[in-house]
Amino acid sequence: MNKRNTGTSPTVPARRSFLIASAGTVACLAMRSLFRIAHAASSHVLPPLPYAENALEPVITANSIGFHYGKHHKGYVDNLNKLVSGTEYAGLSLEKIITGTAGRPEKKVIFNNAAQIWNHTFYWKSMRAKGGGEPPAALKQKMEASFGSVDACKKELASAAASQFGSGWSWLVLDGSKLKVVKTANADVPLTTGMKPLLTIDVWEHAYYLDYQNRRADYVNAVLDKLINWEFALQNAS
Ligand SMILES: [Fe+2]
């Protein structure tokens, strides 16, 4: 018995169209997946802490680091990824975003979040468990040449930290061949003024308030005496 095409089964051209459409859908989904993978690969990520959250105790507690790193630093990363998505800054390195947005009021929010990621990553490396003490000889010589003594350099760092009105950072930098201490407000970073950062101390209240409340000077002096990573500064000066 001959079967008749009743119109309920697809004809050959219809099947061909269906297959072509299906292949197109698969290709489209594959492209979307590739785009998502590429986008994820170019997103900024929260760098791991160079030590355990409790490694800096008792000077800075794990509770304080937990909030500072896990909430504040992570928040800047999450914000930046949202801010640059689909913009000319998507896929650019942090340094390129920072230098490309510095001094541009209309890009201030992007600058702030990018610079705060960079500053915090640099800050964590500026400290270590059982830090402080005598700097390596090569750094000590540079400090003596620029400040007169190691203590004078530490006093300048502490003074810059104490005198920064509101939020900011105290930095040891290399300006040409000379060491200097500078302070910056909010998210500002010496990178944008041609100076080379060697180490930094975060003096935003979120850096010390859980452990020291309003005693910023006590926090700064404890960091300089017991945590500061002179070896990191020397690596950056080389
Ligand atoms: Fe901070």
Side-chain angles (χ1 to χ4, degrees):
M1 192 167 128
N2 288 339
K3 281 187 181 173
R4 282 197 309 138
N5 189 338
T6 59
T8 55
S9 301
T11 59
V12 170
R15 276 198 206 103
R16 189 175 298 139
S17 299
F18 172 77
L19 289 173
I20 291 169
S22 298
T25 305
V26 169
C28 188
L29 287 171
M31 288 296 287
R32 278 190 199 164
S33 296
L34 282 172
F35 177 78
R36 269 199 294 271
I37 291 165
H39 179 71
S42 65
S43 291
H44 299 278
V45 294
L46 180 66
L49 269 180
Y51 32 69
E53 287 190 358
N54 65 356
L56 305 184
E57 290 189 337
V59 179
I60 303 176
T61 62
N63 185 41
S64 194
I65 298 271
F67 277 97
H68 199 174
Y69 173 72
K71 303 290 183 191
H72 293 276
H73 195 175
K74 180 179 185 301
Y76 298 126
V77 174
D78 293 343
N79 286 342
L80 185 69
N81 282 329
K82 284 181 204 155
L83 286 165
V84 302
S85 177
T87 74
E88 66 201 280
Y89 301 105
L92 293 189
S93 70
L94 217 44
E95 288 80 2
K96 282 191 175 163
I97 296 175
I98 291 168
T99 52
T101 55
R104 297 174 63 185
E106 76 280 13
K107 303 292 183 190
K108 190 74 177 170
V109 181
I110 293 178
F111 170 83
N112 282 343
N113 283 280
Q116 283 293 80
I117 298 171
W118 196 95
N119 292 349
H120 280 88
T121 302
F122 197 76
Y123 167 63
W124 303 128
K125 292 177 181 173
S126 297
M127 299 182 289
R128 66 178 178 89
K130 297 179 183 165
E134 191 83 352
L139 181 64
K140 189 177 174 188
Q141 282 170 9
K142 288 177 191 284
M143 291 162 95
E144 287 170 348
S146 298
F147 300 99
S149 67
V150 172
D151 273 350
C153 174
K154 286 170 68 178
K155 275 184 188 153
E156 277 211 36
L157 280 164
S159 171
S163 62
Q164 172 53 40
F165 186 78
S167 299
W169 302 83
S170 175
W171 303 84
L172 181 64
V173 300
L174 199 55
D175 188 11
S177 59
K178 194 171 163 62
L179 293 183
K180 276 186 185 171
V181 167
V182 296
K183 58 186 176 182
T184 60
N186 301 316
D188 287 350
V189 49
L191 280 179
T192 60
T193 50
M195 292 182 280
K196 190 174 185 189
L198 304 187
L199 59 76
T200 193
I201 303 173
D202 187 345
V203 293
W204 284 57
E205 280 188 348
H206 66 223
Y208 58 88
Y209 215 84
L210 289 176
D211 295 332
Y212 294 83
Q213 291 77 52
N214 62 325
R215 293 175 288 114
R216 182 191 284 186
D218 288 353
Y219 150 75
V220 170
N221 286 325
V223 167
L224 282 168
D225 288 340
K226 295 171 183 165
L227 298 181
I228 207 75
N229 188 346
W230 296 127
E231 287 74 14
F232 178 63
L234 180 58
Q235 283 166 27
N236 290 320
S238 306

